[in-house]
Amino acid sequence: MKENLEKKLTLADLAARIGYSPSHFSVLFSKRTGYAPLTYFNQLKIQQACQLLDFTDMKINQICYKIGIEGIYYFSRLFSKVMGMSPREYKKQKKG
């Protein structure tokens, strides 16, 4: 997953890469990590977005495309859900 953050992967894509059915992969992944596969993948994307917000001067819309999320509104909602603040608020907080 970490190597494919810029891609839009489905549960079927992830399961096919290791040769399991989507449902079997989901159960195994959830038992091992405590997260559903796509929830975990989205959290990795948000972690990458945080690093880009912290250490680059990239604009928020550039970051959302860089991590494979095509819609800035979806990115903003997802970021807010995971981080408890909008990407803009995060960037202001971290960059002063």
Side-chain angles (χ1 to χ4, degrees):
M1 288 185 198
K2 290 179 183 178
E3 297 167 1
N4 293 291
L5 288 178
E6 74 285 350
K7 295 179 182 173
K8 184 176 181 178
L9 298 176
T10 65
L11 180 60
D13 294 332
L14 295 170
R17 288 179 186 249
I18 59 169
Y20 289 128
S21 71
S23 59
H24 186 64
F25 172 70
S26 184
V27 168
L28 291 176
F29 191 92
S30 296
K31 281 183 182 179
R32 178 161 272 185
T33 66
Y35 296 99
L38 294 179
T39 299
Y40 184 82
F41 189 50
N42 282 334
Q43 288 181 341
L44 290 175
K45 286 178 180 263
I46 297 303
Q47 285 176 357
Q48 179 67 25
C50 289
Q51 290 180 352
L52 293 169
L53 287 166
D54 286 340
F55 301 112
T56 72
D57 290 326
M58 291 176 73
K59 295 183 182 202
I60 293 169
N61 63 337
Q62 293 171 314
I63 291 172
C64 89
Y65 292 109
K66 175 91 172 156
I67 63 168
I69 297 176
E70 294 178 11
I72 191 153
Y73 297 110
Y74 174 69
F75 169 69
S76 188
R77 282 194 319 269
L78 180 62
F79 190 97
S80 296
K81 182 179 175 185
V82 173
M83 297 302 297
M85 66 182 77
S86 72
R88 185 168 281 113
E89 291 170 326
Y90 181 87
K91 186 170 183 153
K92 285 180 185 176
Q93 176 186 359
K94 294 297 178 183
K95 299 253 176 157

